[in-house]
Amino acid sequence: MATLIIYYSQGGTTELVAKTLAQNLRASMVRIHDLKNREGFKNKIFASINAFRENKTDIVPARVDLTGYDTIIFGTPTWAGNPTPAILTIIDRCNLTGKDVILFATMDNSRGDTNIERLEEKIKMRGGRVIETFTLATKGKSPEKLVSDTEAIIDAKVLKMYVR
């Protein structure tokens, strides 16, 4: 069995964290793409409202085959203290029965914990078992700092023990 990272990233920060996890944990990756335009001030306001209301969105891929994976890692930025619509949409389409799940949220400053709490509720409703979580503040950090912070979390949380 193996580990799969499913993530959404708009600006590339969450993707960098996901790639660092994949390299260190020998995991496969699937990037979820939101088909709505989330760029620009006006669209970002609507994106935050959509996240707050937990609105679903059109995504690609529409579904992810979890066969052959026993550990799933979900990663998302924090928008208005909540997970992104793209991650909420894909989680609602997954059967996580019998799957171990690790959750992570990136954030500019704070409120990642509320994001994680909501994700945990969604994972449990889909039959998954949350075995670890973490948040990572990203504002003003260089890519090198984000990689080193992610590697420090991998060590501190002993994430390698959860993967095969």
Side-chain angles (χ1 to χ4, degrees):
M1 297 304 258
T3 300
L4 177 64
I5 300 170
I6 301 172
Y7 71 97
Y8 169 78
S9 184
Q10 183 179 18
T13 303
T14 305
E15 181 171 44
L16 181 58
V17 174
K19 285 182 176 181
T20 304
L21 289 168
Q23 290 171 349
N24 283 270
L25 303 177
R26 293 172 295 169
S28 300
M29 295 175 38
V30 173
R31 180 178 183 164
I32 303 300
H33 297 273
D34 189 335
L35 297 180
K36 280 191 178 177
N37 180 5
R38 304 289 185 182
E39 296 298 323
F41 180 76
K42 181 178 154 186
N43 289 335
K44 287 185 180 189
I45 296 294
F46 286 120
S48 293
I49 292 168
N50 287 331
F52 180 77
R53 291 181 177 165
E54 295 190 10
N55 292 339
K56 302 304 179 281
T57 190
D58 292 326
I59 58 172
V60 172
R63 299 201 180 277
V64 176
D65 183 3
L66 303 180
T67 306
Y69 297 100
D70 55 350
T71 304
I72 312 298
I73 300 173
F74 287 100
T76 183
T78 301
W79 290 358
N82 294 288
T84 58
I87 283 298
L88 290 172
T89 301
I90 196 65
I91 288 172
D92 280 350
R93 295 177 181 175
C94 289
N95 177 358
L96 298 170
T97 303
K99 305 290 185 187
D100 289 334
V101 177
I102 298 171
L103 303 170
F104 77 89
T106 58
M107 59 197 174
D108 280 346
N109 290 316
S110 62
R111 299 192 60 200
D113 289 338
T114 59
N115 181 342
I116 292 292
E117 288 170 9
R118 186 60 189 131
L119 284 174
E120 283 187 89
E121 291 171 9
K122 299 288 276 180
I123 296 302
K124 290 176 185 173
M125 288 190 300
R126 305 298 303 158
R129 181 176 70 124
V130 177
I131 57 174
E132 190 57 80
T133 67
F134 69 90
T135 60
L136 182 59
T138 61
K139 188 172 186 174
K141 292 184 180 177
S142 69
E144 296 79 19
K145 178 67 172 152
L146 290 171
V147 168
S148 68
D149 285 357
T150 304
E151 289 172 341
I153 289 169
I154 291 168
D155 291 340
K157 299 264 185 185
V158 197
L159 295 182
K160 290 181 180 177
M161 82 172 168
Y162 296 117
V163 298
R164 294 177 178 90

